Amino acid sequence: MRQTPYAAPDSFDPPAENRLYPKLFEIHREVHGLSQDLDNLSRLLEIQRRLIDAISEAEREIRGAKRDNGDPREWQYVRYNFLCLGDCLAFLYVDRFALKQTFFDVDTVNPKQSGGFIIDKAGAAAEVSLLETAISHKIPAVLCDITNVLRYGDICLLGDSDPVPIEVKSSTTKDSRSKRQKQKLKSLFTFLALDRSDGFRGLPGTTFRAEFAVPPKSYSGQLQAAIQQASGVGSTSFEVDGCLKVVVIIEDTPDYDVLFSGFGSSRVLVNAVNQIKTNKIWGCYYPYPLTLSEPAHYEGFVKGKIHIFTFLDMAAFEDNLALEGTRLSVEADENDIQCQIHFSNLFADDKEAYFIIGEHMMCLIRFANALCRCQESVSS
């Protein structure tokens, strides 16, 4: 008898328990142990072996659920969280803004298509062998398929500030897809080497990459302190630069009127950080497993017991963060956000000149895990 295809409900809540959670939380602790001793490359390799096993197990469960006409989303969510731990390994060794380049396509402004299942890879053994060889030569390296962010090559060398993706030849066949992948990888290498590229990501003109003058400013310490406080009193909040409010809720019946108020204007952009994680769209931002170094905080966030919201007061942002001689204007809705920096003493075509802070960088401000004030490179 023909089965009716499974129809997923509109909403999905993270599972409170899963048999792979103990492995997930144990590897999280291992990652933070590695962060204190990055020269321990044997530990780096062992963590990856454990991630390969766990991700493969989740993939088999996903296949089984689909085969049996069940709901695969629990296992897709669990697999995604293991991939986020893989991201942590890359972020421990390489500049976070350089890793952004490995997430996006070189021909469009969209993210590059992610890799497939590990259990489907015919050349997986060869990739692991090359990974082991690199680490045996004291070069930190990560298998790309155990991450979300590394979308070029099969393994990525992490011995410098820029990532170095490498393709592992598993076949002598050179089809059109492999040629396209090779060309994309070449374009990425060129951009990273020269810090500039014409028509990069399909954009007109020349895209430049510039080093930040100051390190990013993070408020992860305040976030973890707020989570600790909310663990005792149920909910709390803190403010950043007089324009961004971060709310942490653990209790079942919080006082929303108090937590979700106190803004000087009606132009407030709300972001439910948990949904970014649950919907598996964290992308190339700084991994939440690194920000949430306290095991209990990470476990609560993964299980959906700890809820984090951010509220960006756009009027206060424009007033508080504009430098002398500049004016900020922010436009945003539920899907997009853009900030223009207007310069009172610069003009183009008889109009006040302005630069645009890229949407990707503005979203950093809305993410509670990496609250930063920084600038984005511009095209010309």
Side-chain angles (χ1 to χ4, degrees), residues 195-213:
D195 292 325
R196 60 179 293 166
S197 180
D198 295 332
F200 193 59
R201 298 198 181 119
L203 298 173
T206 302
T207 297
F208 296 89
R209 186 172 68 133
E211 186 177 358
F212 287 97

Side-chain angles (χ1 to χ4, degrees), residues 70-133:
D71 186 352
R73 291 181 301 168
E74 174 180 338
W75 291 104
Q76 290 169 339
Y77 176 76
V78 171
R79 177 182 182 270
Y80 181 78
N81 275 278
F82 280 112
L83 294 176
C84 289
L85 291 178
D87 286 337
C88 294
L89 302 178
F91 277 84
L92 285 176
Y93 288 92
V94 174
D95 176 75
R96 67 178 70 182
F97 299 111
L99 284 171
K100 166 187 172 181
Q101 311 304 331
T102 69
F103 181 75
F104 287 97
D105 196 352
V106 294
D107 297 326
T108 73
V109 296
N110 300 319
K112 188 176 182 295
Q113 184 176 356
S114 61
F117 277 10
I118 292 176
I119 58 176
D120 293 334
K121 294 280 298 249
E127 294 172 13
V128 173
S129 177
L130 183 58
L131 174 71
E132 293 171 342
T133 299

Side-chain angles (χ1 to χ4, degrees), residues 242-243 260-269 311-319:
C243 61
F260 293 0
S261 63
F263 306 104
S265 77
S266 59
R267 296 174 55 218
V268 177
L269 194 63
F311 297 79
L312 179 64
D313 186 331
M314 291 182 282
F317 178 90
E318 294 168 345
D319 293 339

